[in-house]
Structures are given as structure tokens and as C-alpha cells.
Amino acid sequence: MALSINKKKRAGIINPMYNCQPCGAQYACIGIKDCISLVHGGQGCCTFVRLLFAMHFKENFDIASSSLHEDAAVFGGMRRIEEGVETLVRRHPDLRLIPIITTCSTETIGDDIEGAIRDINKKFLKKEFPDREVILVPVHTPSYSGSHVKGYDTAITALLTKLAKKDKPNNKINIITGWVNPGDVNEIKHILKELDVEAIILMDMEDFDAPIMPDKSSLASGNTTIEDIRDTANSIATIALSRYEGANGAYYLEDNFGVPAVVCNTPIGIKNTDLFIKTISRITNKPIPESLVRERGKAIDAMVDLAHMFFADKRVAIYGNPDLVIGLAQFCLECELQPVLLLFGDDDRSYIQDPRLKEIEKEATDFDIEIVWNADLWELEKRIKDGLKLDLILGHSKGRYISIDYNIPMVRVGFPSFDRAGLWRHPVIGYNGAIWLAETIANTIFEDMEKKKDREWILNVW
């Protein structure tokens, strides 16, 4: 059947499903140890992003703002950068890295971020703290173009450009995760441990799940160190798990340090996880252990238990980050769900040429698929109003009211997911992610069957 790719026809945005570039840069940077970003712009460019992180993770993160006001539009905001860096360095003795993240206002007025960094290094850091290393990294993320997806990719590339340094080989691989959750990072670490492979993970956010200790301390922080980022130039290869969230960083390491770059399909579902594991095995010459083969078998068994009886021909709409949406669509096809509508939320035309879409089209033999790029959630709601029949929605929590208003069951996947507890602890990637996805989708469908009294008796004999 046909797969069509369309652009949103309206100029405006109704019910946006994406965030701005600075949001993506801030997400990348909170995964680094001893790092606090300075967002150069209005206070809201930092505050509202921190709110999203707090809603999603139920944790707080240190992100600073230069807090520009109207006078900066006339006189520039350079002095606010200097004041922000000075305040951070004096207040945080362990701080070693400050990414300076631009916004729409500071990109528009043309503040010279690189010039400000040179002045701060010369006039402040070298004089006041000559024995202390504090690294300032410019990250240009104008929020009037692209989205948080582009901002994440830009930040990864900027950090590698500034920090990566050639030294002796480390016999490790680099894993650029893309925009994932702590549960996904834990799953990546699990796979690497089973393969007996050492890796540098950009970014390691395992400790976002921060315990409250007996002394009442609780601090969510990233685990990737400055030394880790520097050492990426000495690895045997880089595997990027997302085409649009970090792949340019992998290409930078390849072009400048000869570290081979491999951009994998995001390892969602059986086929993509197989590819990820085989890629690691090929690069490192490590055999695939029986433990992972058994995990694969368990995932297939979980999907087989559900696919034909409950998933077959169920029509699904998916929205969110493009790598996540495409990976989820591929997973749906593996277990007989029909991904009939895919929504990407920014103006990146390269989505149209993504080779994975051709693969999806070949596998969708008995139903049509529509893809909308530069979309918002009104595109989803309008199609439902116009008669699009859906059995399930996959996406983050901003689409919850569409699910409620049109009585369509929904599984929360992606960022931000704030109206269900602890979803970020569960992986969607890997074999364990496939099990979680299949069973969560099934339980959501079961609950909907019971609520609507739609053949709920089947569950008595299943």
C-alpha cells in the first residue's frame, strides 16, 4: 500500500508537540558530571525547560540563566554572560564545564559568544582562578528554527569539538545514545556488560534516578565526565543510536580523529536490536553470548503471545522525536500493529529522505501510512475529526487530552511524559524494551476493552 509524506499546510502552530533548540542542548548537558549550563537569554528559556525536566523525571537539575531584559536588545547581553559565569564559578567550587547555550533573542541581537568566552578566560578565569580548570563551550541554538532534536545534536557536536583530544588508544567504543531515558541507558549498559565491551556513553544519565539517602541528600546528576568526552577521540569506533540526535558528533570524530562512525537504527524492537548487537560484536570481535540470545527469545515469546490475538490490524498514530517515531513504527510492524499516521514536529526536510521510511513502506503491504513533518498535535486531532479510525496513540503526555476527548487509548512514550509515574525508568530499546512496549500496549488495550465492554470476555479465556 501507499506511504505519503506531507508537510503541515498551516503557517501557525496549534498545540505544539515539540520544544525549542535550547531545550535539546540543555538535555544533553545535564548528562555531564560537574557541568552547569548557562542559558543566554530570557529567564523563561531556562525556567520552562527546567520545569519540563522536573515534570518528566520528578527531579531538579542545575541550569543557570543570564536572564536578559529589554535593554539587551539595544546594548547587547555580553555583560550578562560575564556575570553569569562569574557567579557560577564562585558559587560552585566543583564546577568544571559551562556550556553557554544561546536562544532566539541572543542569536537575533548577534551577541559574540566566542568573543565573550575569550574575554572571560583572559580577564577573569586566568586572573582569579589560575589553578582551576573551567571550560566554556559555545552552543548555538537559535530557537526560531529546528527543535529540541536539532539542539541536542548541536550540543553533542559542540562538546566533542571543544573537548575531544587525541591520545593513546583506549580500546573502547563510543555510544551516542540520542534523546533517551535512564531506563534506556541502563539497558545499553546491560547489553555492553553481557558482551564484555567497555564503552563511553554520551550521555550517561543512570543517576537521574537519585535515591534519598539517610542523611536526606538527593542529587540527580549525569555520570559522563569531561575525561570521558575527551577520550572519545581515542576509541575504536562510535555508534550513534539516533540519526538526528547525535550522529553529527559521530561524524565529527570520524572526520577529525579517524574514529569510524556507525549510525544505527534506534534499537527498538527485535530487528533493530539485533542490528545494534551485531554491530558491537563486529566492531569489537566479541561473540554474542547465550544470555542475549535467551533475552531475544523471551522478547519474541512476549510479542507472539499478544500479536495475532490482540494486536493484529490495530491502527496506531505515533508522534514525537523522529528516531523514536520511526523505531516505534518498525516495532508495530513486527507485532502486527498498523502505524497509519506518523507525526514529526519540526522543519527538517531530511526526514523525507530517511531510508527507514522506505523499509516501512515495503512492510506495510495492506494499509496506507501518512507521514506529516513540521506537524503539531492539531494535525492528529483534525484527522480524527475527519474520520481517521485509530485504536491506539503512542506519544508523550502533551497529547493526553486528544486521547481523553476522543476516547482513544494511549501509551505514553517519549519526552515529556509527566502524567504517569516512573515511565523514564523503563527502557523502550533493546529486548527488554520490546517486552515492556508489547506488554504495556497490551495492558492499555485490555483496559480499554473493559471500559468500553468491547469483547472483554476474551480476557477470561486468553
Side-chain angles (χ1 to χ4, degrees), residues 38 97-101 113-114 117 135-140 155 157-163:
L38 176 63
L97 178 65
I98 305 177
I100 300 175
I101 299 171
I113 308 302
E114 286 76 8
I117 289 173
I135 304 166
L136 309 179
V137 180
V139 183
H140 291 277
T157 305
L159 290 162
L160 291 170
T161 301
K162 181 68 175 182
L163 296 173

Side-chain angles (χ1 to χ4, degrees), residues 2 14 43 50 64 82 105 125 140 145 147 179 192 204 255 320 325-326 356 367-368 451:
I14 303 173
Q43 183 68 43
R50 287 184 63 189
E82 297 168 5
S105 58
L125 291 177
H140 291 277
S145 67
S147 69
W179 193 300
L192 292 169
D204 183 352
D255 294 341
V325 169
I326 292 172
R356 292 171 293 181
F367 63 95
D368 294 328
K451 184 173 70 173

Side-chain angles (χ1 to χ4, degrees), residues 153-214:
D153 189 78
T154 298
I156 294 291
T157 305
L159 290 162
L160 291 170
T161 301
K162 181 68 175 182
L163 296 173
K165 185 178 181 181
K166 197 69 175 177
D167 200 350
K168 59 182 179 181
N170 60 26
N171 202 35
K172 298 178 181 179
I173 61 172
N174 304 320
I175 303 287
I176 301 179
T177 64
W179 193 300
V180 297
N181 277 318
D184 297 304
V185 172
N186 291 341
E187 182 66 13
I188 292 168
K189 287 183 174 182
H190 165 69
I191 291 171
L192 292 169
K193 183 179 180 180
E194 295 300 309
L195 287 163
D196 190 26
V197 171
E198 287 191 84
I200 297 170
I201 297 178
L202 306 180
M203 299 297 178
D204 183 352
M205 54 186 66
E206 179 181 1
D207 283 348
F208 283 9
D209 189 1
I212 297 178
M213 303 304 289

Side-chain angles (χ1 to χ4, degrees), residues 336-360:
E336 301 187 45
L337 294 163
Q338 296 182 349
V340 296
L341 178 64
L342 311 181
L343 301 177
F344 308 143
D346 64 19
D347 55 0
D348 188 343
R349 292 186 61 86
S350 65
Y351 300 154
I352 300 173
Q353 305 300 326
D354 195 306
R356 292 171 293 181
L357 300 182
K358 290 293 184 182
E359 296 174 13
I360 289 172

Side-chain angles (χ1 to χ4, degrees), residues 221-240:
S221 63
N223 289 334
T224 300
T225 65
I226 292 172
E227 287 72 25
D228 288 334
I229 301 174
R230 282 178 175 150
D231 205 23
T232 55
N234 307 300
S235 298
I236 57 178
T238 302
I239 301 176

Side-chain angles (χ1 to χ4, degrees), residues 44-62:
C45 299
C46 167
T47 301
F48 291 117
V49 172
R50 287 184 63 189
L51 175 62
L52 282 176
F53 295 164
M55 292 169 67
H56 183 81
F57 294 110
K58 306 300 184 280
E59 300 284 356
N60 293 314
F61 299 90
D62 288 330

